[in-house]
Amino acid sequence: MAGNLGYDWIVGGSLPELGRHSAAKHEIFDAYVGAYIRTLTKSHRTRALNLTIVDGFCGGGRYTLDGGQVDGSPLRMLAAVDRVRAEVAAARTRGIAINVDFVFVDANRNHIDFLRDLLESEGHGSRIGRDIHIITSKFEEVAGDVIARIQARGRAHRSLFFLDQYGWSSVTFATIRKIMAALQC
């Protein structure tokens, strides 16, 4: 069976068709990321925000929809952060540092290869390994490492985990409890 319930990416291959339910999910992710960052940076006393955004079942990052191409969750999250950074910077006279690390996880090597190629072609290649971390693994197997990465960024542990409707059943409640207990949000 192809990864991600019928979604499959291979470098040089055709893009999978995005389902309407997933398109709606991506819009919600996008809006939530912006709202979350705006909320955490509302106080003018806040000088910096460290945040980690984790996409536990990231896929290849691009789809077709209605005959055109649309970005998947990794590129949408990157764009959402860029938009809200610009919005917050324009509203703040003293400035604020919004430092976001992205962790994109997928168990399928083809999906990760496609995503890496896409990120490089979209101008994000120099960020890979710096603030964009791409991991080929089942989320369940690297959750502890992801938690440790977030804990290493500071006391606040600001983080968003996106474990979509196709992937959530692959994450045990024990892992969810581990995330909730380990990260002080």
Side-chain angles (χ1 to χ4, degrees):
M1 176 178 177
N4 294 18
L5 293 185
Y7 293 135
D8 206 14
W9 293 266
I10 297 173
V11 174
S14 59
L15 297 172
E17 180 75 19
L18 183 65
R20 291 280 177 209
H21 61 288
S22 291
K25 174 194 72 177
H26 290 167
E27 289 176 21
I28 292 166
F29 285 0
D30 191 320
Y32 188 81
V33 166
Y36 186 78
I37 293 172
R38 280 191 293 281
T39 298
L40 293 177
T41 59
K42 190 166 262 181
S43 170
H44 287 282
R45 288 183 278 158
T46 302
R47 307 302 316 142
L49 169 66
N50 289 330
L51 173 65
T52 303
I53 298 176
V54 180
D55 187 345
F57 302 85
C58 66
R62 184 152 290 153
Y63 301 83
T64 59
L65 181 65
D66 298 330
Q69 292 186 8
V70 296
D71 291 338
S73 53
L75 288 177
R76 289 193 65 139
M77 290 176 192
L78 290 165
V81 169
D82 287 346
R83 279 192 308 276
V84 77
R85 268 192 187 124
E87 176 187 320
V88 170
R92 305 273 300 255
T93 56
R94 291 180 27 145
I96 184 170
I98 300 174
N99 307 307
V100 181
D101 272 2
F102 299 88
V103 180
F104 300 130
V105 181
D106 199 289
N108 187 311
R109 167 57 67 191
N110 289 331
H111 298 181
I112 291 297
D113 289 346
F114 191 96
L115 178 61
R116 182 180 304 278
D117 187 65
L118 178 62
L119 289 169
E120 288 172 358
S121 73
E122 293 289 321
H124 301 289
S126 65
R127 296 173 63 185
I128 297 172
R130 194 170 39 101
D131 68 322
I132 297 174
H133 309 280
I134 304 171
I135 301 169
T136 307
S137 181
K138 292 180 179 178
F139 176 78
E140 187 79 10
E141 294 171 1
V142 296
D145 294 337
V146 172
I147 290 168
R149 177 185 300 278
I150 294 166
Q151 289 172 327
R153 294 195 75 205
R155 278 189 356 234
H157 304 162
R158 298 285 186 202
S159 53
L160 296 172
F161 283 76
F162 294 97
L163 308 175
D164 72 26
Q165 75 266 28
Y166 287 139
W168 72 269
S169 63
S170 296
V171 180
T172 65
F173 284 118
T175 298
I176 299 298
R177 282 191 296 275
K178 181 178 175 180
I179 291 167
M180 301 290 279
L183 301 176
Q184 304 297 318
C185 294

